Every structure is written in C-alpha cells, then in structure tokens.
Amino acid sequence: MRENNVIKLCILIGIITVIAVAVLYPWNTVRDKQDNYTETENTAGESFATDEAYIGNESQAAPDDSAVYTNSETSYRALIEDDAQLLNDAEEQELAALLQEITAYGNVAFKTIDYNDRGTESYARKYYKEQFGTSSGTLFLIDMDNRNIWIHSDGAVYKVITKSYADTITDNVYRYASDGNYYGCAAHTYDQILTLLKGQKIAQPMKYISNGLLAVILALLLNYGLVSFFARIKKPGRRELLRSGRNHFNYTQPKASFIRESRTYNPTSSDSGSSGSSGGSSGGSSSSGGGGGHSF
C-alpha cells in the first residue's frame, strides 16, 4: 500500500511541474514583450511622418487636446481627447497612427479625464454613446479621478473585444498606468485590440494562472480521492457477516384480542368558488455594448 501511495505522489508532483511550466512560460513571454515595448517607447514619433501620425490635421499644425480622423473607406472615426494632459505631442502623434489602423474595423477613441462624478464604467458607456451611438467601435478610458482604466466596445467590435478580453487586456497593461507610463498603457492596449481584430491571439497570463491553480486543486482532490479509495478498510459483505455470526430464530404465535370500537361521523360538504389570476408585463431598457477594466 505504501508503494502505491509513493507512486501516486510522484505522479502528482509531475503534474504540478508540468502545470508550473505551462503557467510560467507564457507569463515570461508577456514580460519580455512588455520590456521590448518599454525600450521602444522613448523613440515615439520618430518613425512616423507628421502627416501620417497626426490624425485629422491636414495642415500639420501642432496638435491640441483632441484629434479626429475619418477613414475614407469605412467611414469609421478615430478620436483622441486627452483632458487629463497625460500625453505629450509626440506621444499623441504616435498613438494617433495606431488608432488610424483600428478604423479599418470600427470607431476608436482614447479619452483621459481627471474628474469624474460617476463610476468609470458608467462614464465610458455614456461617452461612447455620445460620440458613436451604437455604432461598432471601441473606447479606452483612463480615469485619473477613480484611478481606473476601462475598455468599452459595441457592435461588431464587441463580438471580438468581449468583456473577457477587455478584462484580460487591462490586466496586462494596468502596471504601466501604475508606474505613470500612460502612453505605454494606451499603446499596449490598442496594440492588443488591433491584434485581436486581425484574428490573432494575445497572451493571457492571468487566465493561464487561474487555469493552472484550478488544475492543481483538481489534481490534489483527485489524488486525495484515489488515496482514500485504495487506503480504506474493506468492509465485510452480507454473506460473510451471516457466516461468522450465530443464527438464532424465535417464532411466537400471534394472538388477536378485541379492545373497543369507535365510529366517527363526517358529513360530506361541497364548496364552490372561483379564483382568478391577473397577469402583467413590465418593460425595461437594455444598454448595448460592454467591457471591462482594472484599477491602478
């Protein structure tokens, strides 16, 4: 029995090792990609010409706090409103070029605020509706008042950038906002959004970690169940109990005796009545689109 338990323990250790490798490898891959992004952020604006990078400015004048671009083929718009003044001019231009690529799939907006009298999700939903209605697109919001980042999408884009993916992307980038690197946070967000819209995959380290922990828990429960099953004491069967016990049978002739008789009168009665039911209906309004976010 001890040898069997040792074998099971070795199998369990092997399972945990495989899971650990599967979890740590994609996480390290994401960290490597983030480090590579950080090395290239200092050169923002140098690799793009001004007429390509700055959205909605045909005269190539210095950008202000907002910039709008309309894709001539899809009619989708790109919008940048940096009310919290988190980006410099070069970073706005670099980010604008990335947003311009996303307009091939839907509307896109980048919004920063330093005051918010409502929840981040509520603000994002309201702002998106004001800008794009229910048209297909996505919004990335940095809420400095509530210290939250949020992705809100609608239409066909929402079928790709789902709530689950919005949570995953913000999980991947919130550390940039925590470190004060707001351009890096936005750039990585839109880069992953564009990757998904192109039909490619993004790293999901938190999902891998959650799945890994769940697999470990299931492995431990399975191992516990197997050990408990094989280590339990075998109970004797019914036939064995009968064979080992002494058989003794007593029979007593039953006797019947009259004690008393009682009668109860219960007249039948019938009641008639009617019951009714009323039904009603209630209506409500539903909001389109959705998303997810993360605090920083």
Side-chain angles (χ1 to χ4, degrees), residues 18 64 68 78 102 106-107 112 115 129 151 156 167 172 188 190 237 239 251 257 281 286 291 295:
V18 172
D64 55 11
V68 177
I102 297 177
N107 296 298
T112 68
Y115 172 74
K129 187 175 182 180
I151 296 175
D167 288 334
N172 291 344
H188 291 109
Y190 289 116
R239 183 174 297 178
Y251 174 77
S257 60
S281 62
S286 59
S295 60

Side-chain angles (χ1 to χ4, degrees), residues 29-153:
T29 302
V30 173
R31 294 299 299 271
D32 292 340
K33 290 182 178 179
Q34 291 178 347
D35 293 339
N36 292 335
Y37 279 131
T38 303
E39 293 175 359
T40 59
E41 283 164 3
N42 294 329
T43 61
E46 296 179 0
S47 60
F48 291 86
T50 304
D51 57 343
E52 295 178 345
Y54 178 51
I55 290 177
N57 187 0
E58 299 295 336
S59 62
Q60 300 183 14
D64 55 11
D65 292 338
S66 64
V68 177
Y69 165 81
T70 302
N71 190 310
S72 60
E73 296 181 357
T74 63
S75 298
Y76 290 129
R77 297 186 300 130
L79 174 65
I80 294 179
E81 289 188 1
D82 185 19
D83 295 344
Q85 298 292 320
L86 301 181
L87 306 181
N88 58 39
D89 294 347
E91 290 171 340
E92 268 196 36
Q93 293 176 7
E94 183 76 7
L95 188 64
L98 186 56
L99 267 61
Q100 185 173 351
E101 294 186 59
I102 297 177
T103 58
Y105 304 92
N107 296 298
V108 58
F110 172 69
K111 177 74 171 179
T112 68
I113 54 176
D114 52 13
Y115 172 74
N116 186 10
D117 59 353
R118 62 180 68 196
T120 304
E121 179 181 6
S122 177
Y123 185 97
R125 186 181 296 274
K126 181 176 181 294
Y127 177 80
Y128 184 93
K129 187 175 182 180
E130 290 175 351
Q131 298 299 326
F132 307 119
T134 57
S135 179
S136 179
T138 187
L139 160 71
F140 178 55
L141 170 68
I142 299 181
D143 183 355
M144 297 299 295
D145 194 7
N146 294 315
R147 303 291 293 179
N148 282 327
I149 57 175
W150 195 270
I151 296 175
H152 179 85
S153 302

Side-chain angles (χ1 to χ4, degrees), residues 5 10 13 33 42 50 79 114 126 132 139 149 161 173 176 193 198 241 251 260 274 282:
N5 291 337
C10 292
I13 294 174
K33 290 182 178 179
N42 294 329
T50 304
L79 174 65
D114 52 13
K126 181 176 181 294
F132 307 119
L139 160 71
I149 57 175
I161 313 300
V173 304
Y176 291 100
I193 289 175
K198 289 180 178 179
L241 290 175
Y251 174 77
R260 67 175 180 273
S274 62
S282 61

Side-chain angles (χ1 to χ4, degrees), residues 194-207:
L194 184 59
T195 298
L196 290 174
L197 291 175
K198 289 180 178 179
Q200 302 172 2
K201 296 181 179 180
I202 62 173
Q204 304 181 63
M206 295 304 298
K207 180 179 180 180

